[in-house]
Amino acid sequence: QEQLVESGGGLVQAGGSRRLSCAASGHIFGTYGMGWFRQAPGKEREFVATVNWSGGTAYADSVKGRFAISRDFARNTVWLQMNSLKPEDTALYYCAASPKTLATMQSEYTYWGQGTPVTVSS
């Protein structure tokens, strides 16, 4: 069984909104911090946002004030609400799980989803 499965990606106009979803298995969701990363064409994968077991969050400076991460323990799901989208937000977005709290580095994450693409057009 797959541990993390992202969905919700697609095409959106600049200034618009999109919400990504990540479904996780219960044992992972309940004991790991969850995060979102993204990788644009020709660029390195970068941290976007993370939420810990207690609901604490951390965001990359590039998305602060525009994106919001949240998790639902009952549904074993983590969301990434993206508002005021810019063309530079275009990337493959990955959901990931980490045993550390509010981790921001790729090496700190143990499980990864396959990614869901988001394209923002002008």
Side-chain angles (χ1 to χ4, degrees), residues 21-86:
S21 176
C22 174
S25 60
H27 73 280
I28 293 177
F29 193 82
T31 59
Y32 285 73
M34 303 298 296
W36 287 95
F37 286 75
R38 66 186 183 184
Q39 186 168 19
K43 294 186 177 182
E44 297 294 321
R45 188 175 300 181
E46 65 176 350
F47 167 76
V48 175
T50 184
V51 58
N52 66 12
W53 306 267
S54 301
T57 59
Y59 297 90
D61 289 339
S62 60
V63 305
K64 283 184 177 179
R66 299 190 299 119
F67 291 10
I69 187 171
S70 61
R71 66 192 300 172
D72 187 330
F73 284 97
R75 297 183 62 185
N76 294 343
T77 302
V78 60
W79 291 278
L80 181 67
Q81 178 65 49
M82 305 183 294
N83 300 318
S84 301
L85 284 164
K86 306 174 182 179

